[in-house]
Amino acid sequence: MAISVLQTLSAHLGAAFEAVDLPVEYGRVSLSDKSAPYQCNGALAAAKLAKKPPRDIATTIVKHLEGNNDIALAEIAGPGFINLTPSGALLQRRALELNADTRVGARDADVLATIIVDFGGANVAKPMHVGHLRSAVIGESLKRIFRFRGHKVIGDVHLGDWGLQMGHLISELADEQPDLVYFDAVTTDGYPEDSPVTMQDMARLYPQASAKSKADPYRLKKSQIATAELQSGRPGYRALLEHFIRVSIAYLKKGYGELGVEYDLWKGEASVDPLIPGMIDAMKAQNITEESDGALIIPVDDNYDMEKRKGIPPVMLRARTGAVLYHTTDLATLLDRKNEIDPDLILYVVDQRQATHFEQVFRAAVKAGWYSREQLEHLGFGTVNGKDGKPFTTRAGGVLKLSDLTKMMREAAAARLEKSGIGQDFGAAERAEIADKVGMAALKFADLQNQRTTNYVFDVERFVSFEGKTGPYLLYATVRIKSLLRKAKDKGVALGDICPNEPAEQKLVLTLDGFNRALAAAEAKRMPHILCDHVYTLAQAFSKFYAACPVLADHVAADVKSSRLALAALTLKQLEVGLGLLGIETPERM
Ligand code: ARG
């Protein structure tokens, strides 16, 4: 199996320690930003066990490494660090391996699992907003990273389709069109196949009802009653719900599709409703539920103190009114997933502000014996803020719709391209396609490059810039290589074996070699920004290489041309694969 330069060096150092009867672990090599790219600190750690000064141990180890073809230089520094420079031969071997590998150096995770990623979480009838954007972008990237690491990954959108917003819709529609057959209490089947509402209708009805309900408690009551009747199975309302869901899914598929976000499952809260009565009975039989003030709850924290508001409040399984709640549908979903998929792990990519909700639900699922706590993870994320530091809204202070946001990005990208004079002689269709890719890359990279849990400031101009750590900068790096490859083709220069001799070439190979490490860390921490760092570092290493090592210039020897060209092609491949895992597509030219 092909292993990284770092692992190769670790193996050599480990063998050297073993040869002097010291544990192999002391040979562990790490990255270094000092005089050499790698270092081993094992001699310091071994000093106590060996009862020898660390420098003496380091000297012995370095002696053992003499004549090793993979190591160009092993130098002792300070009290006994060993600085390591890999040889050109090792780098060449590694470059060839990376080049031959369809996954450009990525390997399967050590333990492969079945994983559900619960992300997106749009709500039926409510417009998608910035919060849903983050969940979609981060979730999609994690889904792709885990899948690329060999896991079986199932993405589920988990639609919000069972709450008060459904009651709002139904009651508002009843007000507007009381004669619809769905409201006739006598009819119980044979409802029309076509939906009585479009997405636009829903987008109007819902805020209308919600605004009226805020002003008028009696109107709110109507929505609550409609919700309760829907949940207890009134046929006309169920039929309406199915229309709402179908119309919404068609709309959402388009919206998520534009973002490059795909789901394996389009389930939602409503889809697990049939499981709820049985689930509640089983939980009662397990004695994990309690009656409290007419409501049915599951305590999940022995030290919970309601007065002092300390600890984790109990799960609300059923309200006093008989209504089931967000807790209930999430628990039933966990049961459904256990029955249907039996995953090893479920990742919930949802706003950090729902942390307590998930802690409650997870504890209840563990109490019920369905999962262990380690199988359930809430991956929270921070908010997107405006320049004033407050959550990002429209100019009027309303929720910013996702479609408006993506439109804004596209327009900003088009303006920036225009200003930079990029693609002036391309046709209009191609220019639009490029603006689209640049806008999406800007949006996604700006989101993903932040540590997931932090908030960030939405700054369109900075996001679409071609300079700095941005999506457009990375796209630019890829099209630059594509253009180089086209030029080489015209000149009849073919790809050859990669022989990294110059420092900038070697540095580039070492950066390429770090791909698997970045993926493994992004997986372990569930943090796509680690992969963002890698692709950005790679683009920078390429830039330095390109500045220092001419590829097609006449004075360059033929085999060097071909080697550098192959190195450029390999870089492009890894950049595109890496960006793809972030959900970012690259144009052919710019
Ligand atoms: N629909 C929810 C919201 O808009 C998010 C759903 C997240 N997933 C879940 N299993 N609860 O807040």
Side-chain angles (χ1 to χ4, degrees):
M1 187 178 63
I3 56 172
S4 70
V5 171
L6 190 145
Q7 287 166 316
T8 306
L9 295 178
S10 282
H12 289 315
L13 271 283
F17 274 94
E18 266 191 318
V20 294
D21 290 327
L22 284 168
V24 63
E25 294 81 49
Y26 289 131
R28 225 190 56 212
V29 168
S30 54
L31 291 176
S32 161
D33 44 19
K34 305 212 186 69
S35 53
Y38 300 95
Q39 70 179 43
C40 172
N41 304 336
L44 281 88
K48 218 168 157 193
L49 185 74
K51 297 193 185 73
K52 274 189 203 147
R55 265 195 95 92
D56 289 2
I57 301 172
T59 311
T60 325
I61 297 297
V62 167
K63 257 217 137 50
H64 262 274
L65 298 173
E66 267 169 28
N68 187 316
N69 285 333
D70 286 345
I71 298 172
L73 199 63
E75 272 183 323
I76 302 169
F81 302 114
I82 304 172
N83 290 336
L84 295 158
T85 306
S87 69
L90 171 56
L91 295 183
Q92 177 172 6
R93 200 168 77 224
R94 187 62 188 138
L96 294 178
E97 280 168 6
L98 290 170
N99 209 17
D101 181 3
T102 46
R103 289 202 290 173
V104 271
R107 291 199 308 276
D108 275 357
D110 294 337
V111 182
L112 296 182
T114 298
I115 301 167
I116 296 178
V117 185
D118 179 316
F119 72 111
N123 297 310
V124 165
K126 284 199 216 165
M128 289 218 269
H129 57 74
V130 223
H132 294 121
L133 169 82
R134 287 216 75 185
S135 175
V137 170
I138 298 168
E140 179 67 24
S141 176
L142 288 173
K143 191 187 83 184
R144 291 181 188 204
I145 292 170
F146 275 86
R147 208 170 263 168
F148 199 64
R149 299 266 298 152
H151 300 289
K152 181 175 174 205
V153 186
I154 299 142
D156 184 5
V157 68
H158 197 74
L159 287 182
D161 55 7
W162 201 231
L164 181 66
Q165 76 262 32
M166 296 299 127
H168 275 324
L169 271 186
I170 293 171
S171 53
E172 195 65 14
L173 186 62
D175 268 359
E176 276 197 9
Q177 300 186 53
D179 297 334
L180 285 177
V181 58
Y182 306 94
F183 303 119
D184 172 2
V186 182
T187 310
T188 54
D189 59 3
Y191 297 105
E193 252 176 46
D194 284 338
S195 169
V197 292
T198 62
M199 198 58 212
Q200 283 85 342
D201 293 331
M202 289 199 272
R204 177 175 50 79
L205 291 167
Y206 171 74
Q208 214 165 280
S210 157
K212 284 184 196 167
S213 299
K214 272 193 194 116
D216 174 6
Y218 175 69
R219 175 67 193 82
L220 176 63
K221 193 92 212 149
K222 281 205 323 202
S223 292
Q224 286 166 338
I225 291 170
T227 312
E229 285 190 276
L230 168 73
Q231 294 190 350
S232 60
R234 183 167 161 167
Y237 289 7
R238 288 295 184 122
L240 271 179
L241 176 74
E242 268 165 42
H243 285 309
F244 297 160
I245 294 177
R246 218 169 320 133
V247 171
S248 293
I249 288 182
Y251 159 84
L252 289 171
K253 275 197 175 152
K254 236 180 94 214
Y256 281 126
E258 271 171 36
L259 279 175
V261 171
E262 281 172 10
Y263 292 98
D264 305 289
L265 296 176
W266 283 86
K267 289 198 163 184
E269 297 166 354
S271 70
V272 294
D273 171 60
L275 297 178
I276 290 177
M279 175 183 85
I280 292 184
D281 287 346
M283 287 177 145
K284 276 186 179 162
Q286 284 181 310
N287 270 328
I288 58 174
T289 62
E290 272 174 29
E291 293 277 345
S292 165
D293 242 344
L296 192 66
I297 63 167
I298 304 177
V300 290
D301 182 357
D302 290 341
N303 299 317
Y304 175 61
D305 186 331
M306 190 164 69
E307 245 97 86
K308 293 198 187 121
R309 292 170 165 270
K310 273 230 270 319
I312 310 286
V315 159
M316 270 287 195
L317 212 47
R318 204 174 51 208
R320 208 174 1 175
T321 59
V324 299
L325 304 149
Y326 190 31
H327 281 153
T328 329
T329 51
D330 255 328
L331 277 170
T333 301
L334 275 166
L335 186 57
D336 181 48
R337 288 172 178 167
K338 178 88 192 160
N339 294 341
E340 301 295 321
I341 299 169
D342 197 16
D344 301 300
L345 180 67
I346 309 181
L347 304 173
Y348 290 80
V349 187
V350 187
D351 197 316
Q352 189 59 38
R353 288 173 287 195
Q354 295 193 23
T356 308
H357 166 81
F358 286 109
E359 188 57 39
Q360 292 169 293
V361 169
F362 295 169
R363 287 186 184 196
V366 171
K367 264 194 150 173
W370 306 336
Y371 297 91
S372 71
R373 185 64 189 78
E374 296 71 47
Q375 287 178 280
L376 308 172
E377 282 182 45
H378 170 219
L379 309 181
F381 50 79
T383 53
V384 183
N385 294 336
K387 285 188 185 148
D388 58 1
K390 299 204 187 94
F392 197 55
T393 55
T394 60
R395 242 170 248 175
V399 208
L400 184 68
K401 277 196 269 166
L402 194 59
S403 49
D404 293 337
L405 186 88
T406 49
K407 191 163 151 246
M408 190 158 101
M409 291 307 302
R410 261 188 220 117
E411 287 170 0
R416 184 61 63 109
L417 288 165
E418 179 98 13
K419 209 169 98 191
S420 327
I422 293 176
Q424 270 165 336
D425 40 353
F426 302 169
E430 188 177 352
R431 275 216 309 274
E433 193 202 309
I434 295 173
D436 197 44
K437 287 188 171 151
V438 171
M440 284 301 119
L443 182 67
K444 291 182 184 178
F445 195 80
D447 192 298
L448 292 172
Q449 67 146 309
N450 299 290
Q451 167 133 350
R452 172 167 55 70
T453 45
T454 57
N455 303 341
Y456 71 91
V457 172
F458 199 83
D459 182 348
V460 187
E461 287 313 312
R462 193 165 53 83
F463 295 175
V464 297
S465 168
F466 281 96
E467 276 129 49
K469 197 174 175 183
T470 67
Y473 167 79
L474 288 163
L475 293 198
Y476 191 71
T478 63
V479 292
R480 217 164 139 206
I481 305 178
K482 287 181 189 178
S483 134
L484 171 70
L485 292 173
R486 274 196 299 268
K487 240 180 252 159
K489 204 168 173 197
D490 290 345
K491 287 192 165 189
V493 180
L495 305 178
D497 282 345
I498 300 173
C499 302
N501 294 319
E502 294 298 318
E505 294 172 321
Q506 300 200 337
K507 181 83 207 161
L508 183 53
V509 172
L510 288 182
T511 309
L512 287 159
D513 184 50
F515 187 43
N516 189 62
R517 208 157 40 237
L519 285 173
E523 173 187 329
K525 298 210 159 79
R526 289 84 162 98
M527 293 280 190
H529 80 271
I530 298 172
L531 180 57
C532 291
D533 288 346
H534 177 77
V535 288
Y536 180 63
T537 310
L538 181 59
Q540 282 183 312
F542 179 80
S543 239
K544 289 202 183 113
F545 151 80
Y546 201 45
C549 305
V551 181
L552 298 177
D554 291 337
H555 69 270
V556 180
D559 58 334
V560 176
K561 270 187 193 152
S562 294
S563 156
R564 289 181 181 167
L565 197 63
L567 187 52
L570 171 61
T571 304
L572 174 64
K573 194 159 112 188
Q574 197 180 79
L575 275 175
E576 287 203 299
V577 171
L579 287 169
L581 295 174
L582 298 168
I584 295 175
E585 283 179 54
T586 61
E588 272 322 291
R589 56 175 193 167
M590 258 171 17

